[in-house]
Amino acid sequence: MTTPDQAGKQSTETRTATRTETRPGTRGTAETPAGPPTETPADAPAGPFRHQDRHRVAVLVMPGVIPFELGIPARIFGGARTAEGRNLYEVVTCSAVPGLVQTDADFPILVENGPEVLEAADTVVVPATHELDDIYVSGRLSGPLAAAFARIRPGTRVVSICTGSYLLAAAGLLDGRPATTHWDSADHFQRLFPQVKVDPDVLYIDDGDILTSAGVASGIDLCLHIVRRDHGTAIANAVARRTVVPPHRDGGQAQYIQRPLPEPQLASTTAARAWALGRLDQPLTLRELAERESMSVRTFTRRFREEVGISPGQWLVQQRVERARHLLESSDLSVDQVAHRAGFGTATSMRQHLHAALGVSPSAYRRTFNSTATPGV
């Protein structure tokens, strides 16, 4: 089991893919790993939990729940065992209204336990649902959901997977705190909950007692992180091996967002952009781009921002990053060769720009997306 100092060190080292915030006195912080529920009050109701020596995980299910995300807590926490084979977590599913709950697939699930389960939980996990309804519009919980959240004891660790973050935000748990969600919902999430510090690029954020994951499979990353935080790397790695997933993924959501170039339109800087795209491997200056449109640098820069939304320099970096991504995915060129063809000049420059844009190194990106690449290239 990792020591508190080791846990903090791990959080710092994985910051490119995650964010770990520490708040003095908060429940289950990196300085005080959650682990088994040794501090559960003696009078806390056990409900359906049957094993007092295990950390109690309640999974709150809502109509429209996505089966993939629903299965993550049971698979990851349910697979965490000591070297002697003792289970470390007990996972129980519940709903604000027990009974048949329709999923977003063509089948319902029977949830026998009601919200009283939340009163005994050490960790509550809220997976994504496609039926956010009023929450998506008003940012407020319905009566039954508000009552369910009110049952969560102080000191309970609360976790969201994907758009489950909407419920945490609607419950007020994310006010003034960092959080993430699926990249496709990040802008809407920020508009609906301006008091939340949204980071759309990371795979998950550990803010001590509140943890949020990005889209879909990022829930696996977050649950593995929790096991690692609670019980150390060896146990988390063993769970990852049995689940046949990497114990830790490099980078954040940014590397999974495809940003195709828009179709050329009639605009005052279109010709300059097309000309630049054919010469990304060469040094390009702002004056050269402006001259292609017979404009002054100042006028060209203003027009470019009006049409594209960013500066010419930022646009060039984006296109070179996209060129580098394509070459890393589809070729066996060395990192130096990719850097040259993408116009970065040096491998060091390309590494800096890729890390800033995607959160990963060129080699890590290639390992993920190019199955034919030679290891170490």
Side-chain angles (χ1 to χ4, degrees), residues 299-319:
T299 299
F300 178 83
T301 301
R302 177 172 55 81
R303 293 277 180 86
F304 196 99
R305 281 187 174 276
E306 290 173 353
E307 295 164 12
V308 183
I310 56 178
S311 72
Q314 291 171 319
W315 179 82
L316 276 174
V317 170
Q318 284 187 358
Q319 307 318 309

Side-chain angles (χ1 to χ4, degrees), residues 19 77 92 132 206 233 294 308 353 361:
R19 285 183 55 190
F77 295 123
V92 171
L132 289 168
D206 180 342
T233 301
S294 301
V308 183
H353 283 96
S361 68

Side-chain angles (χ1 to χ4, degrees), residues 35-318:
T38 55
E39 298 182 359
T40 300
D43 58 350
F49 292 106
R50 297 289 179 254
H51 303 277
Q52 297 299 314
D53 62 334
R54 301 180 190 176
H55 186 98
R56 302 168 176 178
V57 179
V59 182
L60 180 60
V61 178
M62 294 149 292
V65 66
I66 303 171
F68 180 88
E69 282 91 326
L70 173 61
I72 291 173
R75 180 70 203 190
I76 301 301
F77 295 123
R81 296 188 288 270
T82 65
E84 297 74 32
R86 179 176 65 85
N87 290 315
L88 295 169
Y89 299 88
E90 182 177 5
V91 182
V92 171
T93 304
C94 66
S95 178
V97 180
L100 278 179
V101 177
Q102 184 60 48
T103 69
D104 83 326
D106 63 344
F107 58 86
I109 58 171
L110 177 61
V111 181
E112 297 180 339
N113 302 302
E116 66 279 358
V117 171
L118 302 174
E119 300 174 11
D122 302 301
T123 294
V124 173
V125 181
V126 183
T129 174
H130 277 164
E131 294 185 17
L132 289 168
D133 297 333
D134 292 342
I135 299 175
Y136 198 78
V137 177
S138 68
R140 293 191 295 270
L141 295 175
S142 65
L145 275 175
F149 270 85
R151 289 176 176 264
I152 299 175
R153 293 180 291 111
T156 303
R157 179 168 58 190
V158 184
V159 179
S160 68
I161 296 176
C162 194
T163 54
S165 54
Y166 275 79
L167 281 89
L168 271 60
L173 297 178
L174 300 181
D175 289 359
R177 306 183 73 159
T180 192
T181 190
H182 194 291
W183 62 264
D184 197 36
S185 300
D187 289 342
H188 176 268
F189 185 75
Q190 183 66 91
R191 292 194 302 271
L192 188 62
F193 302 107
Q195 67 276 26
V196 180
K197 301 173 183 177
V198 180
D199 187 340
D201 295 329
V202 296
L203 291 177
Y204 57 81
I205 289 178
D206 180 342
D207 194 33
D209 57 337
I210 302 291
L211 300 91
T212 53
S213 90
V216 195
S218 300
I220 297 175
D221 299 286
L222 178 53
C223 289
L224 284 172
H225 166 75
I226 292 172
V227 174
R228 188 181 305 113
R229 195 179 93 172
D230 289 353
H231 300 287
T233 301
I235 289 178
N237 287 353
V239 175
R241 283 194 297 272
R242 286 193 292 270
T243 314
V244 198
V245 297
H248 173 76
R249 281 196 291 168
D250 294 316
Q253 288 193 102
Q255 63 184 306
Y256 297 96
I257 304 172
Q258 187 174 9
R259 298 181 177 91
L261 296 176
E263 291 296 324
Q265 299 177 3
L266 294 177
S268 59
T269 64
T270 301
R273 280 179 276 151
W275 179 81
L277 287 174
R279 295 164 176 80
L280 287 179
D281 61 328
Q282 304 172 24
L284 298 172
T285 67
L286 185 55
R287 183 172 298 281
E288 287 176 318
L289 294 174
E291 288 175 351
R292 301 300 302 180
E293 302 290 0
S294 301
M295 297 180 188
S296 68
V297 170
R298 182 176 180 180
T299 299
F300 178 83
T301 301
R302 177 172 55 81
R303 293 277 180 86
F304 196 99
R305 281 187 174 276
E306 290 173 353
E307 295 164 12
V308 183
I310 56 178
S311 72
Q314 291 171 319
W315 179 82
L316 276 174
V317 170
Q318 284 187 358

